[in-house]
Amino acid sequence: MKQVYCRPESLKDNANSYCPGCGHGIVHRLVAEVIDELGVREKTVGIAPVGCAVFAYDYWNFDVTEAPHGRPPAVACAIKRVLPDRVVFTYQGDGDLASIGTNEIIHSANRSDNITVIFINNANYGMTGGQMAPTTLPGMKTTTTQNGRDVKVSGYPVRVCELLATLEGTRYLERVMITDPANINKAKKAIKKSFQTQLDGKGFSLVEVLSPCPVNWGKSPLDGLKFVKEEMTKYFKIGVIKDETIQ
Amino acid sequence: MERSLIMCGSGGQGILLGGSLALVAAFSEGKKVTWLPSYGAEKRGGLSYCAVVISDEEIMSPVLGLVEYIIGLDTIGFNVYKGSISKGGVFIINSSLIKDGKSLSGCKVVELPISDIAKDVGSNRVVNMVSLGVYAALSKAVKLDSLKTGLEEVMSSRHKDMIAMNIKALERGYIEGGGK
Amino acid sequence: MKSKIHLMKGNEAIAESAILAGCRFYAGYPITPQNQIPEYMSWRMPEAGGSFIQAESELAAINMVLGASVAGARAMTSSSSPGISLKQEGISYMAGMELPALIVNMQRGGPGLGNIQGSQADYFQSVKGGGHGDYRLITLSPSTVQEAADLTAEAFYLADKYRNPVLLLSDGILGQMIEPVELSERKFPELPAKDYILDGCKGRKPRNLFSLMMGPGVLEKHNFKLAGKYAKIEASVRKFEKFKLEDADIVIVANGIIGRISKGAANLLRASGVKCGVFRPISLWPFPYSEIKAAAAKAKKILVVEQNMGQMVEDVRLAVLDDSKVSFFGRPGGGCPVPEEIAAKVREIIK
């Protein structure tokens, strides 16, 4: 019998602890599939963030280190300099990357560190219980914006890809969502391209994944997906934001 | 015996270079040495100083309290360090710029128009070397020859063409200080 | 650079000694009075085949060092007091993850932005915690440029041996001063291969490095393990200098640059008939409690001299356990006593 679907080797046989409808499980799997397909599992070092994905090393079947909150790009930069022939990527949430770690991500991009960044944008701090993130939409209710995010008080959502696109050092930036099979396939393609960019020695790339967090959003998993597709994409445009991989 | 020297003045007078030449020269004579500069925010025109200790034995303190020899190249340095000379110490004063050297007491004051002598040698920029020549002659803590040899080491490569004038300045200072 | 005596700034001697000790990764951020370290490393590190990065912040710098250590490199960063405060988060993580590295603090006056003069105001921060959590840093305090170079080399060995960050705690004076220094590749006992680093899982099971331990009792167990390691370090890494202590009635306890200046004071006092000696702790953690206790037993008075308003003195009191014997003399905010001043203080307490 022909096997058409199985657990990627880069994924451990562990049940994950993510909430129902959470996007992390999907993206973890996409990363694992890509690493398998590129045949780089044994030379990959991943950097897990502080946030829901901090336990990513319980799920990925390759070397993974933890890093202080927001600092994965600095850690990744050093690992890549010490071991230039390894595949190094960070996996970061919006609090980690776009708030406490803004400085690190900007300068890693600006140095064009030859790394891959998987950026999960779910518009809130998941692990700590659903507080406002830099990516929380205007008017969106969180535990620290209980009447909805007031931009006059809390400012505007940060568009990471567009921000980084202004830097000379960024080579490939794409925003994807994981709301349906077609978009999940697109997301995988983007993640694969990002790793390929690194393998080709071209420099910094980042894939921003709009990802549902239905439990903290107070929605059902299906409504969570609908929110990503209908609300988040209004503010965070899906598509390639910058591509300088072909010159 | 432990010999101590403070060279002081303002940024641009070559204070740090002068002090490090004394250090290099004494080290070449087999002495133990330390050199401690002013550092940080001081730039051209601000206070500049360095402390040099030359000794036959282990040097305990690179930080100096009362000092055996002080070279004051302008009023900025003089005003800060005029109280730091030891009883019986020697204050070498650039009288071209410092007019109140006479106010010192309890030490030997050697007033010489060091800036004018430097200009006479060829440039105001060698004021540090003239003063070091005077110091070598008076203190005998370091030999004129060692200072001359040390120039090669302390001068940056882009100033190598200045070595001849610096040697002239050291020699002239040495004579002004009574050396033979 | 083969073994030869050089005239070098303390900062440069530390940098070159690190290179000779096999350090192949440096990340740092400019701050006075330690700028000669990154400046030296910026050309020397690539020449030695390593990586130099001027980081965007102190936080990035320490986390780059964390990453380099994860990847197995001998790595270091350097800064001065305000910058070291910023690094504390990373240092705590490295202690928790048991990652070796050298952190150099060329102290300056504080608190706050303070000034740029030499200081010993970061003693508590260095040996009593600094970052959060129940951890220890091996903390070494040199008093000469030569000792700074020697301890730099040894720091990398100790860091690797114990899988623990090591702090070289010095100050602006030692960083800026020039002194003769002999540099050479030093020999240390062979260390086992690093079996924890992350370099891709080829031929082995995947590894992880982390300090988050949420399971019931897991972190407590980890802390017990760390405590066991710290106990081992306390038993075997004790460094100090005893200067003219044999017949000393007065013992000055001082570390770093103040340690050597105090030796100058002891010489002045001996010249006038006062039997003074100096106990100079070199490892500030582990602190040589029992050795100080022994030195104090024979002395009539102990004077602790520091460039702060009383930090190490607390550890000396814990060692001596006789407060009537222990006096303190401090110069804070970048002030630095000279031998005559310390000698005068001794004469005052023995009156």
Side-chain angles (χ1 to χ4, degrees):
Chain A
M1 202 163 62
K2 193 182 162 203
Q3 190 179 35
V4 293
Y5 191 81
C6 65
R7 178 172 49 79
E9 198 186 358
S10 288
L11 217 49
K12 286 180 189 163
D13 191 10
N14 287 346
N16 75 47
S17 60
Y18 296 118
C19 303
C22 171
H24 276 306
I26 297 171
V27 187
H28 281 15
R29 182 179 171 102
L30 295 183
V31 168
E33 287 180 359
V34 164
I35 285 174
D36 279 8
E37 286 168 23
L38 294 171
V40 296
R41 189 184 72 88
E42 292 184 327
K43 59 173 194 170
T44 293
V45 181
I47 294 107
V50 171
C52 290
V54 66
F55 290 119
Y57 48 75
D58 283 343
Y59 314 128
W60 280 322
N61 189 31
F62 45 77
D63 283 3
V64 182
T65 185
E66 186 183 284
H69 199 19
R71 321 294 171 226
V75 173
C77 164
I79 294 175
K80 188 73 183 184
R81 302 270 172 130
V82 173
L83 302 167
D85 63 340
R86 306 304 200 280
V87 174
V88 180
F89 78 97
T90 72
Y91 185 100
Q92 302 175 258
D94 39 32
D96 195 85
L97 182 142
S99 193
I100 202 167
T102 326
N103 199 18
E104 282 76 9
I105 195 66
I106 286 177
H107 286 277
S108 180
N110 194 50
R111 282 188 300 264
S112 204
D113 287 337
N114 190 28
I115 60 168
T116 296
V117 176
I118 308 298
F119 168 41
I120 307 298
N121 176 356
N122 63 11
N124 82 114
Y125 281 79
M127 192 186 222
T128 45
Q131 296 82 6
M132 183 191 73
T135 46
T136 295
L137 299 177
M140 192 173 168
K141 287 184 179 175
T142 70
T143 57
T144 50
T145 54
Q146 299 194 4
N147 295 317
R149 179 175 188 162
D150 179 353
V151 295
K152 288 205 281 292
V153 176
S154 309
Y156 298 86
V158 175
R159 293 188 184 98
V160 167
C161 283
E162 287 81 352
L163 186 71
L164 296 181
T166 65
L167 300 171
E168 292 288 334
T170 47
R171 298 289 175 261
Y172 167 59
L173 305 165
E174 182 166 356
R175 186 180 288 119
V176 297
M177 56 182 172
I178 45 166
T179 48
D180 53 81
N183 274 299
I184 289 173
N185 281 335
K186 277 188 197 163
K188 181 177 171 183
K189 226 178 112 195
I191 290 169
K192 192 164 185 177
K193 179 164 174 163
S194 180
F195 276 96
Q196 191 60 53
T197 302
Q198 179 181 169
L199 288 169
D200 295 343
K202 286 181 175 159
F204 185 92
S205 64
L206 176 146
V207 178
E208 176 174 344
V209 184
L210 302 185
S211 178
C213 184
V215 170
N216 280 321
W217 292 349
K219 296 185 192 308
S220 71
L222 277 178
D223 284 348
L225 292 174
K226 214 170 131 190
F227 183 81
V228 171
K229 212 165 186 170
E230 291 174 6
E231 301 302 323
M232 285 184 78
T233 53
K234 280 184 199 163
Y235 199 92
F236 299 108
K237 244 182 71 197
I238 294 297
V240 174
I241 309 297
K242 183 175 177 181
D243 187 356
E244 290 183 353
T245 56
I246 309 146
Q247 277 171 335
Chain B
M1 188 185 169
E2 196 165 287
R3 316 293 305 267
S4 58
L5 165 70
I6 276 183
M7 230 176 139
C8 58
S10 49
Q13 287 188 308
I15 301 278
L16 301 187
L17 182 77
S20 45
L21 178 59
L23 171 98
V24 163
F27 180 62
S28 74
E29 294 173 23
K31 305 282 192 194
K32 304 258 195 291
V33 286
T34 63
W35 175 91
L36 178 65
S38 56
Y39 56 87
E42 299 92 349
K43 291 289 175 204
R44 202 141 294 196
L47 172 71
S48 177
Y49 77 91
C50 61
V52 178
V53 184
I54 300 167
S55 178
D56 297 316
E57 275 139 45
E58 183 187 353
I59 297 168
M60 299 307 180
S61 183
V63 183
L64 298 175
L66 296 178
V67 186
E68 185 197 11
Y69 274 81
I70 298 182
I71 300 171
L73 288 185
D74 76 357
T75 48
I76 295 176
F78 176 75
N79 287 334
V80 173
Y81 288 99
K82 61 187 173 190
S84 299
I85 194 78
S86 65
K87 222 175 164 64
V90 180
F91 216 121
I92 299 168
I93 281 177
N94 177 10
S95 60
S96 309
L97 298 174
I98 304 165
K99 299 303 175 196
D100 50 351
K102 298 271 183 299
S103 63
L104 292 166
S105 62
C107 64
K108 185 179 168 192
V109 179
V110 178
E111 287 183 286
L112 288 166
I114 296 173
S115 294
D116 295 313
I117 295 167
K119 279 179 212 151
D120 190 44
V121 169
S123 165
N124 196 25
R125 290 171 68 187
V126 294
V127 65
N128 53 351
M129 296 301 154
V130 174
S131 72
L132 268 183
V134 175
Y135 170 71
L138 291 172
S139 72
K140 301 183 172 61
V142 61
K143 294 190 179 78
L144 178 65
D145 278 348
S146 320
L147 290 171
K148 282 161 45 177
T149 316
L151 275 172
E152 194 71 40
E153 193 172 324
V154 300
M155 298 279 286
S156 68
S157 50
R158 69 195 168 96
H159 289 136
K160 290 287 190 228
D161 56 330
M162 292 279 291
I163 285 183
M165 194 198 291
N166 278 276
I167 288 176
K168 253 175 80 182
L170 284 168
E171 288 170 342
R172 177 69 184 275
Y174 192 73
I175 290 162
E176 296 282 348
K180 282 167 198 126
Chain C
M1 194 182 287
K2 288 280 158 270
S3 177
K4 191 190 151 198
I5 296 176
H6 306 267
L7 286 172
M8 272 179 130
K9 283 200 169 203
N11 284 333
E12 291 170 347
I14 288 168
E16 180 59 30
S17 184
I19 295 282
L20 292 174
C23 176
R24 289 298 175 267
F25 187 93
Y26 176 94
Y29 185 87
I31 181 170
T32 307
Q34 60 84 53
N35 292 318
Q36 292 79 18
I37 300 179
E39 284 165 3
Y40 191 93
M41 286 300 197
S42 70
W43 63 268
R44 183 68 173 106
M45 187 58 90
E47 188 182 87
S51 297
F52 164 86
I53 304 178
Q54 180 170 330
E56 61 270 30
S57 68
E58 298 282 5
L59 280 72
I62 189 70
N63 283 287
M64 286 172 181
V65 167
L66 183 152
S69 188
V70 163
R74 275 198 164 170
M76 76 176 281
T77 184
S78 61
S79 189
S80 181
S81 308
I84 295 291
S85 293
L86 286 165
K87 289 188 201 287
Q88 292 300 335
E89 176 205 44
I91 294 171
S92 166
Y93 274 73
M94 292 178 77
M97 294 161 83
E98 296 192 83
L99 290 171
L102 172 63
I103 298 129
V104 176
N105 180 1
M106 305 308 280
Q107 295 169 93
R108 53 188 260 181
L113 201 47
N115 62 15
I116 55 172
Q117 303 310 309
S119 165
Q120 297 184 327
D122 305 344
Y123 178 89
F124 281 153
Q125 183 198 55
S126 309
V127 305
K128 306 290 181 195
H132 62 281
D134 200 357
Y135 75 92
R136 293 292 192 175
L137 281 187
I138 298 172
T139 303
L140 306 173
S141 167
S143 72
T144 64
V145 172
Q146 182 68 57
E147 196 172 36
D150 294 345
L151 291 177
T152 296
E154 189 172 354
F156 283 105
Y157 168 72
L158 292 172
D160 279 341
K161 180 172 178 186
Y162 295 106
R163 268 190 72 178
N164 208 68
V166 176
L167 180 72
L168 186 77
L169 185 65
S170 188
D171 74 307
I173 296 175
L174 206 61
Q176 296 297 325
M177 67 181 278
I178 294 181
E179 229 179 348
V181 56
E182 186 178 359
L183 292 164
S184 58
E185 280 177 44
R186 276 152 250 258
K187 287 261 174 290
F188 292 100
E190 193 95 5
L191 288 164
K194 296 179 177 180
D195 60 358
Y196 57 89
I197 63 168
L198 307 190
D199 56 354
C201 59
K202 194 172 170 59
R204 60 165 170 80
K205 279 192 171 158
R207 291 177 188 146
N208 305 127
L209 283 162
F210 52 89
S211 61
L212 180 70
M213 298 175 199
M214 299 277 269
V218 179
L219 182 60
E220 185 175 13
K221 203 173 145 198
H222 181 61
N223 272 285
F224 279 132
K225 180 190 162 206
L226 292 179
K229 178 172 87 174
Y230 300 150
K232 254 188 227 162
I233 298 171
E234 284 194 274
S236 50
V237 184
R238 294 247 182 159
K239 302 174 84 65
F240 49 85
E241 181 194 354
K242 291 176 177 176
F243 180 77
K244 302 187 179 174
L245 283 183
E246 301 73 26
D247 60 342
D249 294 327
I250 313 295
V251 175
I252 300 173
V253 184
N255 79 84
I257 197 84
I258 302 303
R260 75 186 274 181
I261 294 173
S262 295
K263 283 158 63 180
N267 281 344
L268 289 176
L269 288 161
R270 283 194 175 260
S272 65
V274 179
K275 287 182 185 160
C276 179
V278 177
F279 188 100
R280 182 172 67 85
I282 297 169
S283 60
L284 302 183
W285 191 85
F287 193 74
Y289 290 105
S290 51
E291 292 82 0
I292 288 179
K293 188 187 170 86
K298 294 184 283 175
K300 294 191 183 89
K301 290 276 183 192
I302 315 292
L303 176 68
V304 181
V305 186
E306 297 181 72
Q307 278 181 296
N308 58 51
M309 282 316 287
Q311 300 192 21
M312 185 179 74
V313 64
E314 293 190 4
D315 282 321
V316 176
R317 286 187 197 279
L318 278 174
V320 176
L321 289 175
D322 181 356
D323 285 359
S324 66
K325 261 192 179 179
V326 181
S327 302
F328 174 74
F329 175 49
R331 289 281 308 268
C336 184
V338 294
E340 292 80 0
E341 201 176 341
I342 297 170
K345 194 76 198 170
V346 167
R347 290 198 180 95
E348 201 177 290
I349 63 168
I350 58 174
K351 231 189 254 171

